[in-house]
Short mmCIF file of all heavy atoms in Angstrom, two decimals:
data_model
loop_
_atom_site.label_atom_id
_atom_site.label_comp_id
_atom_site.label_asym_id
_atom_site.label_seq_id
_atom_site.Cartn_x
_atom_site.Cartn_y
_atom_site.Cartn_z
N GLY A 1 0.81 -1.21 0.00
CA GLY A 1 0.00 0.00 0.00
C GLY A 1 0.85 1.26 0.00
O GLY A 1 0.54 2.23 -0.70
N LEU A 2 1.95 1.24 0.80
CA LEU A 2 2.84 2.40 0.82
C LEU A 2 3.52 2.60 -0.54
O LEU A 2 3.72 3.73 -0.99
CB LEU A 2 3.90 2.23 1.91
CG LEU A 2 3.37 2.26 3.35
CD1 LEU A 2 4.47 1.93 4.34
CD2 LEU A 2 2.78 3.63 3.67
N LEU A 3 3.86 1.49 -1.21
CA LEU A 3 4.45 1.61 -2.54
C LEU A 3 3.45 2.18 -3.53
O LEU A 3 3.79 3.04 -4.37
CB LEU A 3 4.95 0.24 -3.01
CG LEU A 3 5.69 0.22 -4.34
CD1 LEU A 3 6.89 1.15 -4.31
CD2 LEU A 3 6.11 -1.20 -4.70
N LEU A 4 2.21 1.73 -3.44
CA LEU A 4 1.17 2.30 -4.30
C LEU A 4 0.96 3.78 -3.99
O LEU A 4 0.65 4.58 -4.88
CB LEU A 4 -0.13 1.54 -4.12
CG LEU A 4 -0.20 0.16 -4.79
CD1 LEU A 4 -1.53 -0.51 -4.47
CD2 LEU A 4 -0.03 0.28 -6.29
N LEU A 5 1.11 4.15 -2.73
CA LEU A 5 0.99 5.56 -2.36
C LEU A 5 2.07 6.39 -3.05
O LEU A 5 1.79 7.48 -3.56
CB LEU A 5 1.10 5.71 -0.84
CG LEU A 5 1.09 7.15 -0.31
CD1 LEU A 5 -0.24 7.80 -0.57
CD2 LEU A 5 1.43 7.17 1.17
N ARG A 6 3.30 5.84 -3.09
CA ARG A 6 4.37 6.55 -3.80
C ARG A 6 4.05 6.68 -5.28
O ARG A 6 4.30 7.73 -5.90
CB ARG A 6 5.69 5.81 -3.61
CG ARG A 6 6.26 5.89 -2.20
CD ARG A 6 7.61 5.21 -2.14
NE ARG A 6 8.56 5.80 -3.08
CZ ARG A 6 9.79 5.33 -3.31
NH1 ARG A 6 10.20 4.24 -2.67
NH2 ARG A 6 10.57 5.93 -4.17
N VAL A 7 3.50 5.61 -5.85
CA VAL A 7 3.12 5.66 -7.27
C VAL A 7 2.05 6.73 -7.49
O VAL A 7 2.11 7.52 -8.44
CB VAL A 7 2.63 4.29 -7.74
CG1 VAL A 7 2.09 4.37 -9.16
CG2 VAL A 7 3.75 3.26 -7.67
N ARG A 8 1.05 6.78 -6.60
CA ARG A 8 -0.02 7.77 -6.74
C ARG A 8 0.53 9.20 -6.64
O ARG A 8 0.18 10.07 -7.44
CB ARG A 8 -1.08 7.54 -5.66
CG ARG A 8 -2.28 8.46 -5.77
CD ARG A 8 -3.07 8.51 -4.48
NE ARG A 8 -2.33 9.19 -3.44
CZ ARG A 8 -2.79 9.41 -2.20
NH1 ARG A 8 -4.00 8.97 -1.87
NH2 ARG A 8 -2.06 10.02 -1.31
N ASP A 9 1.41 9.41 -5.65
CA ASP A 9 1.96 10.76 -5.48
C ASP A 9 2.84 11.15 -6.67
O ASP A 9 2.87 12.32 -7.08
CB ASP A 9 2.76 10.84 -4.18
CG ASP A 9 1.87 10.75 -2.96
OD1 ASP A 9 0.66 10.98 -3.11
OD2 ASP A 9 2.38 10.45 -1.87
N GLU A 10 3.55 10.16 -7.22
CA GLU A 10 4.37 10.46 -8.40
C GLU A 10 3.48 10.84 -9.58
O GLU A 10 3.80 11.77 -10.34
CB GLU A 10 5.24 9.24 -8.74
CG GLU A 10 6.05 9.40 -10.01
CD GLU A 10 7.08 10.51 -9.94
OE1 GLU A 10 7.50 10.85 -8.81
OE2 GLU A 10 7.44 11.05 -10.99
N ILE A 11 2.38 10.13 -9.75
CA ILE A 11 1.45 10.45 -10.83
C ILE A 11 0.87 11.86 -10.63
O ILE A 11 0.77 12.65 -11.56
CB ILE A 11 0.33 9.40 -10.89
CG1 ILE A 11 0.90 8.05 -11.32
CG2 ILE A 11 -0.77 9.83 -11.87
CD1 ILE A 11 -0.11 6.92 -11.28
N ARG A 12 0.49 12.16 -9.39
CA ARG A 12 -0.07 13.48 -9.12
C ARG A 12 0.98 14.58 -9.36
O ARG A 12 0.66 15.64 -9.89
CB ARG A 12 -0.56 13.55 -7.67
CG ARG A 12 -1.82 12.75 -7.42
CD ARG A 12 -2.33 12.97 -6.00
NE ARG A 12 -3.60 12.28 -5.77
CZ ARG A 12 -4.26 12.32 -4.62
NH1 ARG A 12 -3.79 13.03 -3.61
NH2 ARG A 12 -5.41 11.67 -4.49
N MET A 13 2.22 14.28 -8.98
CA MET A 13 3.27 15.27 -9.19
C MET A 13 3.51 15.49 -10.69
O MET A 13 3.68 16.63 -11.14
CB MET A 13 4.56 14.82 -8.52
CG MET A 13 5.71 15.82 -8.63
SD MET A 13 7.15 15.32 -7.67
CE MET A 13 7.57 13.79 -8.48
N THR A 14 3.47 14.40 -11.46
CA THR A 14 3.65 14.53 -12.91
C THR A 14 2.50 15.31 -13.53
O THR A 14 2.70 16.20 -14.37
CB THR A 14 3.74 13.14 -13.55
OG1 THR A 14 4.81 12.40 -12.93
CG2 THR A 14 4.00 13.25 -15.04
N ILE A 15 1.28 14.99 -13.10
CA ILE A 15 0.11 15.71 -13.62
C ILE A 15 0.18 17.20 -13.25
O ILE A 15 -0.14 18.07 -14.07
CB ILE A 15 -1.18 15.08 -13.09
CG1 ILE A 15 -1.36 13.67 -13.68
CG2 ILE A 15 -2.40 15.93 -13.44
CD1 ILE A 15 -2.56 12.93 -13.15
N ALA A 16 0.61 17.47 -12.01
CA ALA A 16 0.73 18.88 -11.59
C ALA A 16 1.79 19.60 -12.42
O ALA A 16 1.61 20.77 -12.78
CB ALA A 16 1.09 18.94 -10.10
N ALA A 17 2.89 18.89 -12.74
CA ALA A 17 3.92 19.52 -13.58
C ALA A 17 3.38 19.80 -14.97
O ALA A 17 3.61 20.88 -15.53
CB ALA A 17 5.14 18.60 -13.65
N TYR A 18 2.67 18.83 -15.54
CA TYR A 18 2.07 19.06 -16.86
C TYR A 18 1.04 20.18 -16.81
O TYR A 18 0.90 20.96 -17.76
CB TYR A 18 1.43 17.78 -17.38
CG TYR A 18 2.40 16.80 -17.97
CD1 TYR A 18 2.51 15.50 -17.48
CD2 TYR A 18 3.23 17.16 -19.03
CE1 TYR A 18 3.42 14.60 -18.01
CE2 TYR A 18 4.13 16.26 -19.57
CZ TYR A 18 4.22 14.99 -19.06
OH TYR A 18 5.11 14.10 -19.59
N GLN A 19 0.29 20.25 -15.70
CA GLN A 19 -0.71 21.31 -15.57
C GLN A 19 -0.03 22.68 -15.51
O GLN A 19 -0.48 23.64 -16.16
CB GLN A 19 -1.55 21.08 -14.32
CG GLN A 19 -2.67 22.09 -14.14
CD GLN A 19 -3.54 21.79 -12.93
OE1 GLN A 19 -3.30 20.80 -12.22
NE2 GLN A 19 -4.52 22.62 -12.67
N THR A 20 1.06 22.76 -14.74
CA THR A 20 1.80 24.02 -14.68
C THR A 20 2.37 24.39 -16.04
O THR A 20 2.31 25.55 -16.47
CB THR A 20 2.94 23.90 -13.65
OG1 THR A 20 2.39 23.53 -12.38
CG2 THR A 20 3.69 25.21 -13.52
N LEU A 21 2.90 23.37 -16.74
CA LEU A 21 3.44 23.62 -18.09
C LEU A 21 2.33 24.06 -19.04
O LEU A 21 2.52 24.98 -19.85
CB LEU A 21 4.10 22.34 -18.61
CG LEU A 21 4.74 22.42 -20.01
CD1 LEU A 21 5.85 23.47 -20.03
CD2 LEU A 21 5.27 21.07 -20.43
N TYR A 22 1.16 23.43 -18.91
CA TYR A 22 0.03 23.81 -19.78
C TYR A 22 -0.41 25.25 -19.50
O TYR A 22 -0.64 26.03 -20.42
CB TYR A 22 -1.12 22.84 -19.55
CG TYR A 22 -2.41 23.26 -20.19
CD1 TYR A 22 -2.61 23.10 -21.57
CD2 TYR A 22 -3.44 23.81 -19.45
CE1 TYR A 22 -3.78 23.49 -22.17
CE2 TYR A 22 -4.63 24.20 -20.04
CZ TYR A 22 -4.80 24.03 -21.40
OH TYR A 22 -5.96 24.43 -21.98
N GLU A 23 -0.51 25.59 -18.21
CA GLU A 23 -0.94 26.95 -17.87
C GLU A 23 0.07 27.98 -18.36
O GLU A 23 -0.30 29.05 -18.88
CB GLU A 23 -1.14 27.06 -16.36
CG GLU A 23 -2.32 26.25 -15.82
CD GLU A 23 -2.40 26.28 -14.31
OE1 GLU A 23 -1.46 26.85 -13.69
OE2 GLU A 23 -3.39 25.75 -13.75
N SER A 24 1.37 27.67 -18.19
CA SER A 24 2.38 28.62 -18.66
C SER A 24 2.37 28.73 -20.19
O SER A 24 2.53 29.83 -20.74
CB SER A 24 3.77 28.18 -18.18
OG SER A 24 4.11 26.90 -18.71
N SER A 25 2.14 27.59 -20.87
CA SER A 25 2.07 27.65 -22.34
C SER A 25 0.84 28.41 -22.81
O SER A 25 0.90 29.16 -23.80
CB SER A 25 2.06 26.23 -22.91
OG SER A 25 0.92 25.51 -22.48
N VAL A 26 -0.28 28.24 -22.09
CA VAL A 26 -1.48 28.99 -22.44
C VAL A 26 -1.25 30.49 -22.25
O VAL A 26 -1.63 31.31 -23.09
CB VAL A 26 -2.69 28.51 -21.62
CG1 VAL A 26 -3.86 29.45 -21.76
CG2 VAL A 26 -3.10 27.10 -22.05
N ALA A 27 -0.61 30.84 -21.11
CA ALA A 27 -0.31 32.25 -20.86
C ALA A 27 0.63 32.80 -21.94
O ALA A 27 0.46 33.91 -22.43
CB ALA A 27 0.30 32.42 -19.47
N PHE A 28 1.64 31.99 -22.31
CA PHE A 28 2.56 32.42 -23.36
C PHE A 28 1.84 32.60 -24.68
O PHE A 28 2.06 33.57 -25.41
CB PHE A 28 3.69 31.38 -23.50
CG PHE A 28 4.68 31.70 -24.59
CD1 PHE A 28 5.66 32.66 -24.41
CD2 PHE A 28 4.62 31.02 -25.80
CE1 PHE A 28 6.57 32.94 -25.43
CE2 PHE A 28 5.51 31.30 -26.82
CZ PHE A 28 6.49 32.26 -26.62
N GLY A 29 0.96 31.64 -24.99
CA GLY A 29 0.18 31.75 -26.23
C GLY A 29 -0.73 32.97 -26.24
O GLY A 29 -0.87 33.64 -27.27
N MET A 30 -1.33 33.28 -25.08
CA MET A 30 -2.19 34.45 -25.00
C MET A 30 -1.38 35.73 -25.20
O MET A 30 -1.83 36.65 -25.89
CB MET A 30 -2.89 34.48 -23.64
CG MET A 30 -3.95 33.42 -23.47
SD MET A 30 -5.32 33.63 -24.64
CE MET A 30 -5.98 35.19 -24.07
N ARG A 31 -0.19 35.76 -24.58
CA ARG A 31 0.65 36.95 -24.77
C ARG A 31 1.04 37.12 -26.24
O ARG A 31 0.99 38.23 -26.79
CB ARG A 31 1.92 36.85 -23.90
CG ARG A 31 1.68 37.03 -22.42
CD ARG A 31 2.99 37.31 -21.69
NE ARG A 31 3.95 36.24 -21.88
CZ ARG A 31 4.06 35.18 -21.09
NH1 ARG A 31 3.24 35.05 -20.06
NH2 ARG A 31 4.98 34.27 -21.31
N LYS A 32 1.42 36.00 -26.86
CA LYS A 32 1.78 36.08 -28.27
C LYS A 32 0.58 36.48 -29.13
O LYS A 32 0.73 37.24 -30.10
CB LYS A 32 2.33 34.73 -28.74
CG LYS A 32 3.73 34.43 -28.23
CD LYS A 32 4.72 35.45 -28.73
CE LYS A 32 6.13 35.15 -28.27
NZ LYS A 32 7.10 36.18 -28.74
N ALA A 33 -0.60 35.95 -28.78
CA ALA A 33 -1.79 36.32 -29.54
C ALA A 33 -2.10 37.80 -29.39
O ALA A 33 -2.46 38.48 -30.36
CB ALA A 33 -2.98 35.47 -29.08
N LEU A 34 -1.96 38.32 -28.16
CA LEU A 34 -2.20 39.75 -27.94
C LEU A 34 -1.18 40.59 -28.70
O LEU A 34 -1.52 41.63 -29.29
CB LEU A 34 -2.15 40.06 -26.44
CG LEU A 34 -3.31 39.49 -25.61
CD1 LEU A 34 -3.10 39.78 -24.12
CD2 LEU A 34 -4.65 40.05 -26.06
N GLN A 35 0.09 40.14 -28.65
CA GLN A 35 1.11 40.88 -29.39
C GLN A 35 0.83 40.85 -30.89
O GLN A 35 0.98 41.86 -31.59
CB GLN A 35 2.48 40.28 -29.10
CG GLN A 35 2.97 40.50 -27.67
CD GLN A 35 4.30 39.83 -27.39
OE1 GLN A 35 4.88 39.21 -28.28
NE2 GLN A 35 4.78 39.94 -26.17
N ALA A 36 0.42 39.66 -31.37
CA ALA A 36 0.09 39.57 -32.79
C ALA A 36 -1.11 40.44 -33.14
O ALA A 36 -1.13 41.09 -34.20
CB ALA A 36 -0.18 38.11 -33.16
N GLU A 37 -2.11 40.46 -32.24
CA GLU A 37 -3.29 41.30 -32.50
C GLU A 37 -2.91 42.77 -32.50
O GLU A 37 -3.37 43.53 -33.35
CB GLU A 37 -4.34 41.02 -31.41
CG GLU A 37 -5.69 41.65 -31.70
CD GLU A 37 -6.38 41.01 -32.89
OE1 GLU A 37 -6.07 39.86 -33.22
OE2 GLU A 37 -7.24 41.69 -33.49
N GLN A 38 -2.05 43.14 -31.54
CA GLN A 38 -1.60 44.52 -31.51
C GLN A 38 -0.78 44.85 -32.75
O GLN A 38 -0.94 45.92 -33.37
CB GLN A 38 -0.77 44.78 -30.25
CG GLN A 38 -0.32 46.23 -30.09
CD GLN A 38 0.45 46.46 -28.80
OE1 GLN A 38 0.66 45.51 -28.04
NE2 GLN A 38 0.86 47.67 -28.55
N GLY A 39 0.12 43.93 -33.13
CA GLY A 39 0.90 44.15 -34.35
C GLY A 39 0.02 44.19 -35.58
O GLY A 39 0.29 44.95 -36.52
N LYS A 40 -1.04 43.38 -35.57
CA LYS A 40 -1.96 43.39 -36.70
C LYS A 40 -2.67 44.73 -36.81
O LYS A 40 -2.81 45.29 -37.92
CB LYS A 40 -2.98 42.27 -36.53
CG LYS A 40 -4.01 42.19 -37.65
CD LYS A 40 -4.99 41.07 -37.39
CE LYS A 40 -6.07 41.02 -38.49
NZ LYS A 40 -7.06 39.95 -38.23
N SER A 41 -3.14 45.27 -35.67
CA SER A 41 -3.81 46.57 -35.71
C SER A 41 -2.84 47.66 -36.17
O SER A 41 -3.21 48.54 -36.96
CB SER A 41 -4.38 46.90 -34.33
OG SER A 41 -3.34 46.96 -33.36
N ASP A 42 -1.59 47.59 -35.68
CA ASP A 42 -0.60 48.58 -36.13
C ASP A 42 -0.34 48.45 -37.63
O ASP A 42 -0.23 49.46 -38.35
CB ASP A 42 0.71 48.39 -35.36
CG ASP A 42 0.55 48.70 -33.87
OD1 ASP A 42 -0.43 49.40 -33.53
OD2 ASP A 42 1.38 48.23 -33.08
N MET A 43 -0.24 47.21 -38.09
CA MET A 43 -0.01 47.00 -39.52
C MET A 43 -1.19 47.48 -40.35
O MET A 43 -1.01 48.09 -41.42
CB MET A 43 0.25 45.52 -39.78
CG MET A 43 0.72 45.21 -41.19
SD MET A 43 2.30 46.01 -41.58
CE MET A 43 3.38 45.17 -40.43
N GLU A 44 -2.43 47.21 -39.86
CA GLU A 44 -3.61 47.68 -40.58
C GLU A 44 -3.64 49.20 -40.63
O GLU A 44 -3.99 49.80 -41.65
CB GLU A 44 -4.87 47.14 -39.91
CG GLU A 44 -5.08 45.63 -40.10
CD GLU A 44 -6.30 45.14 -39.37
OE1 GLU A 44 -6.87 45.92 -38.56
OE2 GLU A 44 -6.71 43.97 -39.59
N ARG A 45 -3.26 49.84 -39.52
CA ARG A 45 -3.21 51.30 -39.51
C ARG A 45 -2.14 51.81 -40.47
O ARG A 45 -2.36 52.79 -41.20
CB ARG A 45 -2.93 51.80 -38.09
CG ARG A 45 -2.98 53.32 -37.96
CD ARG A 45 -2.92 53.75 -36.52
NE ARG A 45 -1.71 53.32 -35.86
CZ ARG A 45 -1.65 52.35 -34.97
NH1 ARG A 45 -2.75 51.69 -34.64
NH2 ARG A 45 -0.51 52.01 -34.40
N ARG A 46 -1.00 51.13 -40.49
CA ARG A 46 0.06 51.53 -41.41
C ARG A 46 -0.38 51.33 -42.86
O ARG A 46 -0.09 52.18 -43.74
CB ARG A 46 1.32 50.70 -41.13
CG ARG A 46 2.49 50.98 -42.06
CD ARG A 46 2.93 52.42 -41.98
NE ARG A 46 4.09 52.68 -42.84
CZ ARG A 46 4.52 53.88 -43.16
NH1 ARG A 46 3.91 54.96 -42.69
NH2 ARG A 46 5.58 54.02 -43.93
N ILE A 47 -1.08 50.24 -43.14
CA ILE A 47 -1.58 49.99 -44.50
C ILE A 47 -2.57 51.08 -44.91
O ILE A 47 -2.55 51.56 -46.05
CB ILE A 47 -2.23 48.59 -44.57
CG1 ILE A 47 -1.16 47.51 -44.45
CG2 ILE A 47 -3.02 48.42 -45.85
CD1 ILE A 47 -1.72 46.11 -44.37
#
């Protein structure tokens, strides 16, 4: 049971790491999307 507990905690730790990576990637993607949107508006104004 204690060994299974270690396995469960390892799985949770891996999932938490992937969740943190996903959240950071989503935030990075949002920043890039906002920058692209801002650059698009600037480019449209320049055009």
